Amino acid sequence: MALTTTDLETRVRNYMDACTSGDAAAVAAHMSRDAVHYFPPDMYDGPWRGNEYIAERWAGLVRTGRSAWTVDSIAVDEDRRVAVSEWTHFKQAAGVILRGTEWYEFDDHVLITEIRAYYASPQDKSLERLELGGFDYDGRDYPEGPT
């Protein structure tokens, strides 16, 4: 199935709107059954695996923390079936604004298969490797040093 830029952008925006709604079924409907959501280390006990689990976690944050998200900008590569968005997460109960970006991958049905979250924050000087927890960098041939 040929995916269009509009298909991918619409999916990301609708997914983020579903997250803000707190409706777990609506969130899960935007992802493949075996979707994975990666986070920085020690963030939200990630990676989260499975559309239902991911959806329940976001719905819980809306219930307990009055979380809400906006999509602030988006870029899409329809040939590679990927999109990147900048977003703002309003953690209203805590009075926190978290900004970041996410890399989305999609399947043939325009469902999200993978989300990689990156946050705008100071570098943790106690870590020698600042990368996503649980992400298989070696298996995907990411470099281990400068080329």
Side-chain angles (χ1 to χ4, degrees), residues 44-62:
Y44 301 124
D45 72 339
W48 294 347
R49 298 182 185 280
N51 66 334
E52 291 180 2
Y53 184 75
I54 295 166
E56 286 298 331
R57 294 302 305 268
W58 288 136
L61 288 173
V62 170

Side-chain angles (χ1 to χ4, degrees), residues 59-120:
L61 288 173
V62 170
R63 283 191 303 274
T64 62
R66 295 189 357 255
S67 285
W69 293 265
T70 58
V71 175
D72 306 324
S73 65
I74 191 164
V76 173
D77 183 336
E78 64 187 50
D79 293 333
R80 293 177 57 201
R81 296 182 182 185
V82 298
V84 177
S85 74
E86 286 185 305
W87 46 259
T88 303
H89 179 179
F90 298 93
K91 298 181 175 191
Q92 297 174 91
V96 171
I97 296 175
L98 174 64
R99 297 192 196 276
T101 188
E102 288 177 332
W103 177 280
Y104 298 87
E105 295 190 4
F106 302 87
D107 67 12
D108 292 343
H109 306 286
V110 199
L111 294 175
I112 298 165
T113 61
E114 185 173 283
I115 303 171
R116 297 181 225 155
Y118 302 93
Y119 300 129

Side-chain angles (χ1 to χ4, degrees), residues 36-49 53 57 132-135:
V36 180
H37 197 318
Y38 293 97
F39 299 95
D42 298 326
M43 190 76 180
Y44 301 124
D45 72 339
W48 294 347
R49 298 182 185 280
Y53 184 75
R57 294 302 305 268
L132 297 172
F135 188 79

Side-chain angles (χ1 to χ4, degrees), residues 11-29:
R11 177 64 74 189
V12 170
R13 291 184 183 282
N14 289 345
Y15 164 76
M16 293 295 266
D17 288 345
C19 287
T20 296
S21 78
D23 180 344
V27 175

